[in-house]
Amino acid sequence: MKFIVKFFPEITIKSRPVRKAFVKQLRHNMRLVLKKHDADVVVAGNWDFIEVLSEKDELREDFTTALSNIAGIAHFQFVREFSFTDLDDIVEEAMVSYGEMLKDAVFAVRVKRVGHHDFTSVEAERYIGGCLKARSGALAVRLKNPEVLVPIDIRDQRVWMIEQRVEGLGGYPLGSQDSVLSLMSGGYDSTVSSFMTMSRGLKTHFCFFNLGGDAHEIGVKQVSNFIWEKYGSGLNVKFVTVPFEAVVGEILTKVDNAEMGVILKRMMLRAASKVMEGVGAKALVTGESVAQVSSQTLINLKVIDQVTDELVLRPLITTNKQAIIDKAIEIGTAPFAASMPEFCGVISVNPTTRARMHRVEREESKFDFAVLEKAVEEAQVMSIQNVMDDVAKQYQGEVPVVRMPVGDEVIVDIRHPDEAAKRPLKVSGRPVKVIPFFALESSWHDLDQETMHLLYCGKGVMSRIHASYLLGKGRTNVGIYLP
């Protein structure tokens, strides 16, 4: 079994030393990926292409899938190689590969020739095409837009009968550029932006800010591992979890409502700027797009960026949401994003779209930065290869869901205080406690441990996250209220 791999065109226009370095990295990545299927695979480098050789013909489909997901490859071809004797022998081999497809079809032959022969490429095309038409039952030869194309490479005394061509990811080989740290929420935007940096050759580490609960963290770990498994070329990268629940609590209790979104992003950039040092990253990556939400206006982004001297990359900055969703569908992250339990508790009622630095600084002066420092100190860094093992240790059981309480259950409204005050929860004949989500864990020991407490947040997303978190901590008297 043999594949011929062609480089992304931008690689071929680099200077000789840079091109050699890129190709070396690409060969390394291909070996890492393909050896998972065949430990004896041969990846041989050339100036214009890379040859992949394996004696395990039954792995053709596995190799095809793997190669199509490696950055740096423009396209690759599955070929049958044989020694060149004469054009009649090539006709015989072409009948083996294409005979059935040519019957009643309009076709063309394309010959690429390297070396010294007593014929030109055009002469070879005419001779082979004429013989195939006579022998295969083809309707006609048509050079423009044929129904079937028969591509053949003649290289000195070797002939490659190209039986399949598959488009690659393009871009630069992963690891050929510097490392970056991608801020991952697990939604459409962050997964697509991470894919884009990876496909440009940037070794992409993942950073998740846990705003409360295991459910969201599990989801982000799963989708991060998926992206790495599929597009990571086997390179070792890190997954960083920063516990941010206390930071959110500080913001919600001390910061003016309008500035919350911008200040939360500034806190994330502050933390990420410190975390990135530990993984050797040279830039931060976010999935922000202009005006997609209130914190992503140009003015707000400028205010957010002023909190760090580090470079912040935004691959999606001018991309429309539907295009982002379409890309997520293409790369396989859409099912994860669609079911991701997003943390929706930090939403200002009237968020500013034109943040002013003096107001932001005034609100941040109320913030206890020791809380942020503690979150950074408690950040957990693990290899991406181990995140699924870590997920397995976390709570994955069913969360009790109650739609109509019939016993002595207590309803706990965990919504943001402003939302709870604006639309108070009333359940006939049922006590309702108001405990903001960011205070749940610290307040839980004050509740009656013999009574079932049902968490309520409106849509059931945030309550499920926190119920999962408490159940994972060994609490048994918790469920969610979903009327």
Side-chain angles (χ1 to χ4, degrees), residues 139-413:
L139 292 178
V141 174
R142 185 174 66 205
L143 300 182
K144 187 176 182 179
N145 299 322
E147 296 171 350
V148 178
L149 184 64
V150 181
I152 302 168
D153 278 15
I154 305 174
R155 292 180 170 266
D156 295 314
Q157 299 307 306
R158 295 189 299 170
V159 180
W160 293 342
M161 186 64 60
I162 301 169
E163 295 189 346
Q164 181 186 19
R165 173 184 162 126
V166 181
E167 296 302 313
L169 282 184
Y172 293 142
L174 191 59
S176 63
Q177 307 300 307
D178 288 321
S179 296
V180 296
L181 182 66
S182 179
L183 278 57
M184 284 284 289
S185 69
Y188 294 102
D189 302 339
S190 63
T191 57
V192 172
S193 61
S194 297
F195 165 79
M196 292 180 70
T197 55
M198 292 168 71
S199 63
R200 195 62 181 172
L202 295 162
K203 188 176 181 180
T204 303
H205 303 277
F206 305 100
C207 182
F208 169 62
F209 290 93
N210 193 335
L211 305 183
D214 289 343
H216 192 184
E217 181 175 341
I218 289 173
V220 175
K221 284 180 175 177
Q222 288 174 333
V223 71
S224 299
N225 183 261
F226 169 84
I227 296 172
W228 173 77
E229 283 277 4
K230 190 169 184 179
Y231 303 108
S233 295
L235 300 185
N236 185 31
V237 300
K238 304 299 182 182
F239 184 94
V240 184
T241 300
V242 184
F244 236 53
E245 187 173 19
V247 174
V248 171
E250 274 288 296
I251 292 174
L252 291 176
T253 54
K254 296 181 178 179
V255 170
D256 181 78
N257 192 286
E259 318 295 334
M260 285 181 181
V262 169
I263 290 178
L264 176 61
K265 291 292 184 68
R266 281 167 61 90
M267 295 299 172
M268 287 181 172
L269 282 193
R270 282 188 174 101
S273 297
K274 296 181 180 180
V275 169
M276 66 187 289
E277 299 174 6
V279 299
K282 304 303 181 186
L284 300 173
V285 179
T286 78
E288 291 160 321
S289 176
V290 170
Q292 189 175 115
V293 295
S294 60
S295 65
Q296 296 175 18
T297 62
L298 288 182
I299 290 177
N300 284 358
L301 290 175
K302 181 178 179 180
V303 170
I304 291 169
D305 280 1
Q306 288 181 25
V307 81
T308 180
D309 292 329
E310 303 295 343
L311 175 64
V312 180
L313 303 178
R314 295 183 171 92
L316 306 179
I317 194 65
T318 61
T319 308
N320 295 329
K321 187 67 176 184
Q322 189 57 53
I324 296 171
I325 293 173
D326 291 344
K327 190 64 178 180
I329 293 172
E330 178 187 332
I331 66 177
T333 61
F336 293 91
S339 60
M340 191 65 60
E342 292 197 30
F343 196 89
C344 52
V346 194
I347 301 176
S348 301
V349 176
N350 295 302
T352 180
T353 58
R354 304 181 70 83
R356 296 291 183 266
M357 184 57 70
H358 70 279
R359 295 178 184 173
V360 170
E361 290 176 342
R362 179 192 65 200
E363 295 303 313
E364 286 188 344
S365 68
K366 307 173 186 176
F367 187 92
D368 182 1
F369 278 88
V371 175
L372 181 65
E373 292 172 6
K374 187 171 186 292
V376 173
E377 291 173 0
E378 295 179 351
Q380 295 183 345
V381 182
M382 67 185 70
S383 171
I384 191 67
Q385 291 131 308
N386 300 328
V387 296
M388 298 312 294
D389 294 335
D390 189 66
V391 165
K393 299 175 185 176
Q394 300 186 46
Y395 182 79
Q396 297 186 65
E398 291 294 325
V399 177
V401 178
V402 176
R403 298 186 180 277
M404 186 177 295
V406 294
D408 60 351
E409 302 97 331
V410 174
I411 310 298
V412 181
D413 188 344

